[in-house]
Amino acid sequence: MGESGPSARGTPGLHGPAHDQPHHSAVPYVVVWIVLLFFTLLTWYTGTRHLGTWALPIALAIACIKSALVTLIFMHLIDSSGATRLVFVTSLVFVGLLLFFTVADVATRYTPSTPAGAPFGTERSQPEGLLEHEMPEE
């Protein structure tokens, strides 16, 4: 086949100087990837510890940091125009409001009970291996 056809014609809109993107170094990607791995391990570590009321704020903070790194570096939001950044920040505000009101609603309903025999959160302890309904009658 010769070079005649639609693919051989030059398309000024696609390959002109307006479409040339700056080439990015791989160093920021590797650094952010390592930081994301660290935060993933931190998420796992905090998940294995019973942090009580601090568990949710810590998990949300780690998730926000990780998502910010992904959007800024991997999705090139840091190189985007002001309008794109404004749309992104506006969406974050609405997601934050959604999370805030959801957590506030659940937090103000009632105090959740911890089942007997749970490894955390109970002030009283049960005899070894027996729950209340398994206790022998006296």
Side-chain angles (χ1 to χ4, degrees):
M1 262 332 263
E3 293 203 28
S4 62
S7 62
R9 292 185 214 138
T11 311
L14 293 178
H15 302 290
H19 188 67
D20 291 339
Q21 296 291 325
H23 295 288
H24 296 282
S25 170
V27 174
Y29 299 113
V30 173
V31 170
V32 169
W33 180 68
I34 291 170
V35 171
L36 289 172
L37 284 177
F38 167 76
F39 278 114
T40 301
L41 289 173
L42 184 63
T43 302
W44 171 80
Y45 178 76
T46 57
T48 59
R49 305 291 172 237
H50 300 292
L51 303 174
T53 58
W54 285 100
L56 182 63
I58 290 173
L60 287 174
I62 292 172
C64 287
I65 292 170
K66 287 168 61 175
S67 64
L69 287 172
V70 168
T71 55
L72 286 173
I73 303 301
F74 290 112
M75 295 174 69
H76 303 283
L77 188 64
I78 202 163
D79 299 328
S80 295
S81 66
T84 306
R85 291 180 188 175
L86 179 65
V87 168
F88 179 71
V89 169
T90 303
S91 69
L92 285 181
V93 168
F94 280 104
V95 168
L97 286 172
L98 176 72
L99 284 174
F100 172 77
F101 285 117
T102 302
V103 170
D105 178 43
V106 172
T108 57
R109 287 186 182 189
Y110 58 89
T111 305
S113 62
T114 304
F120 61 92
T122 56
E123 286 77 25
R124 57 187 173 92
S125 61
Q126 299 294 325
E128 286 294 319
L130 295 178
L131 300 176
E132 284 183 27
H133 67 277
E134 299 173 334
M135 296 289 288
E137 295 183 25
E138 294 183 29

